[in-house]
Amino acid sequence: MTENTPGGAPSPSQPSGGAPKPPEPSGVDLARVALRAAKEAARARGDAAQQKKQARRGGLRSGARADGRDPMALGSAINRLITERGWEAPAAVGGVMGRWPQIVGEDVAKHCVPEKYDEDERVLTVRCDSTAWATNLRLLAPTLVARLNEDLGHGRVKLIKVQGPGGPARRYGPLRAPGSTGPGDTYG
């Protein structure tokens, strides 16, 4: 079944080497290829439209696989936040304030309470309930600074500022005149 042209040469549809060339796709095959390409394009457009729609609704939804948007444990979220913001030192000092009785001892902790930590100056402020305990803590301050730096890392606390007891809270009673500053305001 070879077709020959009138000159006896093989037709252009069959190569001269003898191996038959695969036939060109016919009308039905071309339609199938075009349909497959159209379906893939429509699927891609649909996926893009779905992603845009989800983004408008508040973000993409998580699927069955692990994703960066999945919920995480509270402890790991807090640790990541502390690391990202550079809050390691204040968080460590806050931990010391929570463990104050274990660091200084129960007797001292009953009478002296840490109030604040200044990260820039690296000063821990401690308030005592009596002047005697404030004096005692001033004498213990170098030892406490060494113990705190051992726990937190070298140089985190340079100084412990000890404050004595504050005066009594000002009382506002029913006989107080609005706008007055106290007994010194009587004559003028």
Side-chain angles (χ1 to χ4, degrees), residues 14-42:
Q14 184 176 0
S16 60
K21 183 179 174 185
E24 293 286 326
S26 65
V28 174
D29 293 331
L30 284 174
R32 284 187 187 133
V33 170
L35 179 62
R36 187 178 308 126
K39 283 182 178 180
E40 288 175 7

Short mmCIF file of all heavy atoms in Angstrom, two decimals, residues 14-42:
data_model
loop_
_atom_site.label_atom_id
_atom_site.label_comp_id
_atom_site.label_asym_id
_atom_site.label_seq_id
_atom_site.Cartn_x
_atom_site.Cartn_y
_atom_site.Cartn_z
N GLN A 14 5.08 9.71 3.36
CA GLN A 14 5.86 8.57 3.83
C GLN A 14 7.32 8.88 3.61
O GLN A 14 7.73 9.24 2.52
CB GLN A 14 5.47 7.31 3.06
CG GLN A 14 6.18 6.09 3.58
CD GLN A 14 5.70 4.84 2.84
OE1 GLN A 14 4.85 4.92 1.96
NE2 GLN A 14 6.24 3.72 3.21
N PRO A 15 8.14 8.73 4.69
CA PRO A 15 9.55 9.00 4.52
C PRO A 15 10.19 7.95 3.64
O PRO A 15 9.70 6.84 3.49
CB PRO A 15 10.11 8.97 5.93
CG PRO A 15 9.11 8.25 6.75
CD PRO A 15 7.81 8.37 6.04
N SER A 16 11.32 8.27 3.08
CA SER A 16 11.98 7.36 2.17
C SER A 16 12.72 6.26 2.90
O SER A 16 13.13 5.30 2.30
CB SER A 16 12.96 8.14 1.28
OG SER A 16 13.92 8.77 2.10
N GLY A 17 12.87 6.35 4.23
CA GLY A 17 13.62 5.36 5.01
C GLY A 17 12.84 4.10 5.27
O GLY A 17 13.38 3.11 5.70
N GLY A 18 11.57 4.03 5.13
CA GLY A 18 10.82 2.83 5.34
C GLY A 18 10.05 2.82 6.65
O GLY A 18 9.08 2.11 6.78
N ALA A 19 10.45 3.54 7.70
CA ALA A 19 9.72 3.57 8.95
C ALA A 19 8.54 4.53 8.80
O ALA A 19 8.73 5.66 8.36
CB ALA A 19 10.61 4.04 10.09
N PRO A 20 7.34 4.08 9.11
CA PRO A 20 6.18 4.95 8.90
C PRO A 20 6.17 6.12 9.90
O PRO A 20 6.50 5.96 11.07
CB PRO A 20 4.98 4.04 9.12
CG PRO A 20 5.49 2.90 9.94
CD PRO A 20 6.95 2.77 9.61
N LYS A 21 5.84 7.27 9.45
CA LYS A 21 5.72 8.48 10.28
C LYS A 21 4.37 8.43 10.99
O LYS A 21 3.38 8.05 10.38
CB LYS A 21 5.82 9.70 9.38
CG LYS A 21 5.77 11.01 10.11
CD LYS A 21 5.91 12.14 9.12
CE LYS A 21 5.73 13.45 9.82
NZ LYS A 21 5.73 14.56 8.89
N PRO A 22 4.33 8.82 12.32
CA PRO A 22 3.04 8.78 13.00
C PRO A 22 2.07 9.74 12.32
O PRO A 22 2.45 10.81 11.87
CB PRO A 22 3.35 9.24 14.43
CG PRO A 22 4.71 9.80 14.41
CD PRO A 22 5.39 9.30 13.18
N PRO A 23 0.83 9.34 12.25
CA PRO A 23 -0.14 10.17 11.53
C PRO A 23 -0.41 11.48 12.27
O PRO A 23 -0.34 11.54 13.49
CB PRO A 23 -1.39 9.30 11.48
CG PRO A 23 -1.24 8.34 12.61
CD PRO A 23 0.23 8.14 12.80
N GLU A 24 -0.68 12.51 11.53
CA GLU A 24 -1.07 13.80 12.09
C GLU A 24 -2.41 13.62 12.79
O GLU A 24 -3.24 12.82 12.35
CB GLU A 24 -1.20 14.84 10.97
CG GLU A 24 0.11 15.17 10.30
CD GLU A 24 1.00 16.02 11.16
OE1 GLU A 24 0.49 16.87 11.92
OE2 GLU A 24 2.22 15.83 11.11
N PRO A 25 -2.64 14.35 13.93
CA PRO A 25 -3.92 14.19 14.61
C PRO A 25 -5.07 14.61 13.69
O PRO A 25 -5.00 15.62 13.01
CB PRO A 25 -3.83 15.10 15.83
CG PRO A 25 -2.49 15.72 15.80
CD PRO A 25 -1.76 15.25 14.59
N SER A 26 -6.08 13.81 13.70
CA SER A 26 -7.24 14.10 12.87
C SER A 26 -8.17 15.05 13.61
O SER A 26 -7.86 15.51 14.69
CB SER A 26 -7.96 12.80 12.51
OG SER A 26 -8.47 12.22 13.68
N GLY A 27 -9.31 15.31 13.12
CA GLY A 27 -10.25 16.26 13.70
C GLY A 27 -10.68 15.90 15.10
O GLY A 27 -10.76 16.73 15.99
N VAL A 28 -10.95 14.62 15.37
CA VAL A 28 -11.39 14.19 16.70
C VAL A 28 -10.23 14.31 17.70
O VAL A 28 -10.42 14.78 18.82
CB VAL A 28 -11.92 12.73 16.64
CG1 VAL A 28 -12.23 12.22 18.02
CG2 VAL A 28 -13.12 12.64 15.74
N ASP A 29 -9.04 13.92 17.29
CA ASP A 29 -7.88 14.02 18.16
C ASP A 29 -7.54 15.47 18.46
O ASP A 29 -7.19 15.83 19.59
CB ASP A 29 -6.67 13.31 17.53
CG ASP A 29 -6.88 11.80 17.45
OD1 ASP A 29 -7.61 11.28 18.32
OD2 ASP A 29 -6.32 11.17 16.54
N LEU A 30 -7.63 16.32 17.48
CA LEU A 30 -7.39 17.75 17.69
C LEU A 30 -8.41 18.32 18.68
O LEU A 30 -8.06 19.14 19.53
CB LEU A 30 -7.48 18.51 16.36
CG LEU A 30 -6.28 18.38 15.43
CD1 LEU A 30 -6.56 19.05 14.11
CD2 LEU A 30 -5.05 18.97 16.07
N ALA A 31 -9.63 17.89 18.58
CA ALA A 31 -10.67 18.36 19.50
C ALA A 31 -10.37 17.92 20.92
O ALA A 31 -10.55 18.69 21.89
CB ALA A 31 -12.03 17.86 19.05
N ARG A 32 -9.90 16.67 21.09
CA ARG A 32 -9.55 16.19 22.43
C ARG A 32 -8.39 16.99 23.02
O ARG A 32 -8.43 17.35 24.19
CB ARG A 32 -9.17 14.70 22.37
CG ARG A 32 -10.33 13.79 22.24
CD ARG A 32 -9.89 12.34 22.36
NE ARG A 32 -11.02 11.48 22.06
CZ ARG A 32 -10.98 10.44 21.26
NH1 ARG A 32 -9.85 10.10 20.66
NH2 ARG A 32 -12.05 9.72 21.04
N VAL A 33 -7.38 17.26 22.24
CA VAL A 33 -6.22 18.04 22.72
C VAL A 33 -6.67 19.44 23.10
O VAL A 33 -6.29 19.98 24.15
CB VAL A 33 -5.11 18.07 21.64
CG1 VAL A 33 -4.03 19.06 22.00
CG2 VAL A 33 -4.52 16.69 21.46
N ALA A 34 -7.49 20.06 22.28
CA ALA A 34 -7.97 21.41 22.56
C ALA A 34 -8.84 21.42 23.82
O ALA A 34 -8.76 22.34 24.65
CB ALA A 34 -8.74 21.96 21.37
N LEU A 35 -9.69 20.39 23.98
CA LEU A 35 -10.54 20.31 25.16
C LEU A 35 -9.70 20.16 26.42
O LEU A 35 -9.96 20.81 27.44
CB LEU A 35 -11.53 19.14 25.02
CG LEU A 35 -12.48 18.93 26.19
CD1 LEU A 35 -13.38 20.15 26.37
CD2 LEU A 35 -13.31 17.67 25.99
N ARG A 36 -8.69 19.29 26.39
CA ARG A 36 -7.82 19.10 27.54
C ARG A 36 -7.10 20.41 27.91
O ARG A 36 -7.04 20.79 29.08
CB ARG A 36 -6.79 18.01 27.25
CG ARG A 36 -5.97 17.64 28.48
CD ARG A 36 -4.97 16.52 28.24
NE ARG A 36 -5.61 15.35 27.65
CZ ARG A 36 -5.18 14.76 26.51
NH1 ARG A 36 -4.15 15.24 25.86
NH2 ARG A 36 -5.81 13.72 26.03
N ALA A 37 -6.60 21.13 26.94
CA ALA A 37 -5.93 22.41 27.19
C ALA A 37 -6.90 23.43 27.77
O ALA A 37 -6.56 24.18 28.70
CB ALA A 37 -5.30 22.93 25.90
N ALA A 38 -8.12 23.46 27.26
CA ALA A 38 -9.12 24.40 27.77
C ALA A 38 -9.50 24.07 29.22
O ALA A 38 -9.68 24.96 30.05
CB ALA A 38 -10.36 24.38 26.88
N LYS A 39 -9.63 22.77 29.54
CA LYS A 39 -9.95 22.37 30.92
C LYS A 39 -8.84 22.78 31.87
O LYS A 39 -9.10 23.28 32.97
CB LYS A 39 -10.18 20.86 31.00
CG LYS A 39 -11.52 20.41 30.49
CD LYS A 39 -11.67 18.91 30.66
CE LYS A 39 -13.03 18.42 30.20
NZ LYS A 39 -13.15 16.97 30.37
N GLU A 40 -7.58 22.56 31.48
CA GLU A 40 -6.46 22.94 32.36
C GLU A 40 -6.41 24.45 32.56
O GLU A 40 -6.18 24.93 33.67
CB GLU A 40 -5.15 22.42 31.76
CG GLU A 40 -5.00 20.92 31.87
CD GLU A 40 -3.75 20.40 31.16
OE1 GLU A 40 -2.93 21.22 30.70
OE2 GLU A 40 -3.61 19.18 31.08
N ALA A 41 -6.66 25.22 31.50
CA ALA A 41 -6.67 26.68 31.63
C ALA A 41 -7.81 27.13 32.53
O ALA A 41 -7.63 28.03 33.37
CB ALA A 41 -6.78 27.32 30.25
N ALA A 42 -8.99 26.51 32.38
CA ALA A 42 -10.13 26.88 33.23
C ALA A 42 -9.86 26.52 34.69
O ALA A 42 -10.20 27.27 35.60
CB ALA A 42 -11.39 26.18 32.74
#
